[in-house]
Amino acid sequence: MRLGLMLCAFGSLGLAACSQGSSAPFAGFGEKPALPAPKTSPIPTLNARQAVGWPQGAQPKAPDGFVVTRFAGDLAHPRWLLVLPNGDVLVSEASSEESSGGGIEGFVANLLQKKAGATQKSPNRITLLRDVDGDGVAETKAAFAQNLQRPFGMTLSGGTLYVANDNGVVSFPYADGQTSVTGTGAKVFDLPGGPINHHWTKNVVASPDGSKLYATVGSNSNVGENGIEAETGRAAIVEYPLPSGPARIFASGLRNPNGLDFEPTTGALWTAVNERDMLGDDLVPDYMTSVRDGGFYGWPYSYYGQHVDSRVKPPRPDLVAKAIAPDYALGPHTASLGLAFYKADLFPARYKGGVFIGQHGSWNRRPPSGYRVVFVPFAGGKPSGQPEAFLTGFLNAKDEAQGRPVGVAVDKTGALLVADDVGKAIWRVAPAR
């Protein structure tokens, strides 16, 4: 099995695990996606796209009527974005680091991560970007916070900036226009971290009324293979009442939630979730969903409601019976990370209230999926209408990764910002004038 894994990784053999999934642009999308029968195999599909970066003058493509500009470049693995009240933009810079150990499987995992541009010494900082003259390009780039522990999500509430490190949330006092903070922040609450910390990216948002924080914690495995005890407090969204907690599990069974935002019509919290692997090229679709207090969403025992994952032992039919089906599928293995509802007025009216999703892109699917920003319209607080490939071109004609979108945010003017970790850039998309 280990030899076969390596051979598949290098593309040396046409093994069954390297099969082909659907090439439809929106396969596995929608409120009730078609789910094929699972195809379990000890040898996963491994198809990481080579990271090459953007050639001089190249950039992603937006729909007709929009203009893409490089808001900022020469960043070190930019992952997530926060737009501050004065229009400044904070970008967290962090990355996975090469894993030591793990035998052949660890060697191959490191190889694939390097190929995809995901493994490097983590910058562990937050950078501030400021567009001084309003031309859509940041003239100022300053180190806002340094020596953090793989920072990812950020949120501002009541004069306090909260940052989600890979093992918990810290805080900094913030005043409008401030360009830096000192120290590494005061601990607010812990989140599960090492020694495994399989899904280390953690996000945090404040409720609109400023009374609570919500933080995401991904699983420590694909489907619990490291033991359920290693999943304590993970695969969940945590709620923390301000100012002093205590933290509690708000929703669970979410394999790797990342994006968080509040839907503008209903006020419901929504999240984007990466689902499990090794059930076939067309299973299991990533998804976005509204999040219910106390809700259980299946992981690891089932997916998309009551579809049992027979690999998980012992089974838990009692939990499967409670599993909530997600609201909207976002395609298999798309690595859907960023999630931002469009609440501004700069874009055409049809975008108002809909959601933008940053799809980082697959490493284990043929053909590759994701590598784009998609838009899904909403009406009455629910998805309504067909999805749109809004920002594309991250894969070149050779299917090499020029960039990989991660976090998405709407700036103070109403333009869309997209963090591109492989491209080392922040892209800005606005209507053409």
Side-chain angles (χ1 to χ4, degrees), residues 282-374:
D282 289 336
L283 276 182
V284 174
D286 293 346
Y287 61 84
M288 62 176 173
T289 192
S290 57
V291 186
R292 304 183 198 174
D293 189 353
F296 175 72
Y297 291 82
W299 189 89
Y301 304 102
S302 66
Y303 57 89
Y304 240 86
Q306 283 79 45
H307 293 83
V308 173
D309 191 331
S310 61
R311 299 172 296 177
V312 184
K313 305 296 182 185
R316 287 291 304 270
D318 56 325
L319 291 179
V320 171
K322 294 167 47 178
I324 300 169
D327 287 300
Y328 193 90
L330 294 168
H333 311 294
T334 55
S336 296
L337 299 175
L339 180 148
F341 284 98
Y342 192 75
K343 305 167 189 177
D345 297 306
L346 182 66
F347 282 17
R350 68 185 185 87
Y351 289 97
K352 189 69 176 278
V355 68
F356 289 98
I357 305 289
Q359 298 193 314
H360 198 221
S362 62
W363 59 268
N364 55 350
R365 185 176 190 270
R366 297 176 188 273
S369 57
Y371 297 96
R372 61 187 177 180
V373 176
V374 298

Side-chain angles (χ1 to χ4, degrees), residues 16 44 113 416:
Q113 292 282 345
L416 183 72

Side-chain angles (χ1 to χ4, degrees), residues 163-187:
V163 177
N165 285 326
D166 72 359
N167 61 354
V169 174
V170 298
S171 68
F172 300 88
Y174 172 80
D176 195 40
Q178 187 173 331
T179 58
S180 66
V181 295
T182 58
T184 55
K187 184 174 80 170

Side-chain angles (χ1 to χ4, degrees), residues 47-53 55 61 115 366-368 371 393-402:
N47 190 31
R49 300 293 80 211
Q50 180 69 52
V52 297
K61 301 173 184 175
K115 181 179 181 181
R366 297 176 188 273
Y371 297 96
F394 290 91
L395 292 180
N396 64 19
K398 298 179 180 179
D399 271 350
E400 297 167 325
Q402 301 178 123

Side-chain angles (χ1 to χ4, degrees), residues 47-380:
N47 190 31
R49 300 293 80 211
Q50 180 69 52
V52 297
W54 294 94
Q56 185 69 31
Q59 60 187 32
K61 301 173 184 175
D64 291 343
F66 289 89
V67 173
V68 180
T69 57
R70 186 186 293 262
F71 181 73
D74 298 320
L75 295 163
H77 216 248
R79 302 285 281 170
W80 217 249
L81 300 163
L82 177 66
V83 178
L84 296 171
N86 72 334
D88 288 347
V89 177
L90 297 182
V91 52
S92 58
E93 296 172 278
S95 66
S96 299
E97 296 187 331
E98 185 169 333
S99 173
S100 60
I104 288 294
E105 286 88 349
F107 170 78
V108 172
N110 284 329
L111 184 70
L112 291 171
Q113 292 282 345
K114 284 183 179 179
K115 181 179 181 181
T119 302
Q120 58 185 285
K121 182 175 177 56
S122 183
N124 295 336
R125 68 171 173 257
I126 296 171
T127 293
L128 180 140
L129 305 172
R130 177 175 292 174
D131 179 2
V132 177
D133 58 9
D135 65 349
V137 177
E139 290 82 23
T140 298
K141 181 166 65 174
F144 183 84
Q146 302 185 73
N147 301 315
L148 303 180
Q149 186 153 328
R150 290 198 290 186
F152 193 75
M154 302 160 286
T155 193
L156 181 66
S157 181
T160 301
L161 175 70
Y162 298 93
V163 177
N165 285 326
D166 72 359
N167 61 354
V169 174
V170 298
S171 68
F172 300 88
Y174 172 80
D176 195 40
Q178 187 173 331
T179 58
S180 66
V181 295
T182 58
T184 55
K187 184 174 80 170
V188 182
F189 60 99
D190 292 324
L191 293 169
I196 302 175
N197 214 4
H198 180 62
H199 291 118
W200 62 266
T201 55
K202 295 176 172 69
N203 192 16
V204 62
V205 298
S207 61
D209 64 2
S211 65
K212 299 179 181 70
L213 298 177
Y214 294 90
T216 65
V217 187
S219 69
N220 237 344
S221 61
N222 182 31
V223 283
E225 62 272 12
N226 292 321
I228 292 301
E229 63 278 1
E231 306 297 345
T232 302
R234 303 189 73 114
I237 293 175
V238 175
E239 180 188 81
Y240 184 88
L242 292 170
S244 56
R248 71 178 181 98
I249 298 296
F250 182 75
S252 60
L254 300 154
R255 179 177 174 269
N256 186 24
N258 278 270
L260 289 172
D261 199 5
F262 293 89
E263 195 280 320
T265 300
T266 65
L269 178 65
W270 280 67
T271 187
V273 179
N274 291 184
E275 254 291 356
R276 66 203 73 197
D277 299 320
M278 296 176 67
L279 288 179
D281 290 309
D282 289 336
L283 276 182
V284 174
D286 293 346
Y287 61 84
M288 62 176 173
T289 192
S290 57
V291 186
R292 304 183 198 174
D293 189 353
F296 175 72
Y297 291 82
W299 189 89
Y301 304 102
S302 66
Y303 57 89
Y304 240 86
Q306 283 79 45
H307 293 83
V308 173
D309 191 331
S310 61
R311 299 172 296 177
V312 184
K313 305 296 182 185
R316 287 291 304 270
D318 56 325
L319 291 179
V320 171
K322 294 167 47 178
I324 300 169
D327 287 300
Y328 193 90
L330 294 168
H333 311 294
T334 55
S336 296
L337 299 175
L339 180 148
F341 284 98
Y342 192 75
K343 305 167 189 177
D345 297 306
L346 182 66
F347 282 17
R350 68 185 185 87
Y351 289 97
K352 189 69 176 278
V355 68
F356 289 98
I357 305 289
Q359 298 193 314
H360 198 221
S362 62
W363 59 268
N364 55 350
R365 185 176 190 270
R366 297 176 188 273
S369 57
Y371 297 96
R372 61 187 177 180
V373 176
V374 298
F375 172 78
V376 179
F378 268 57

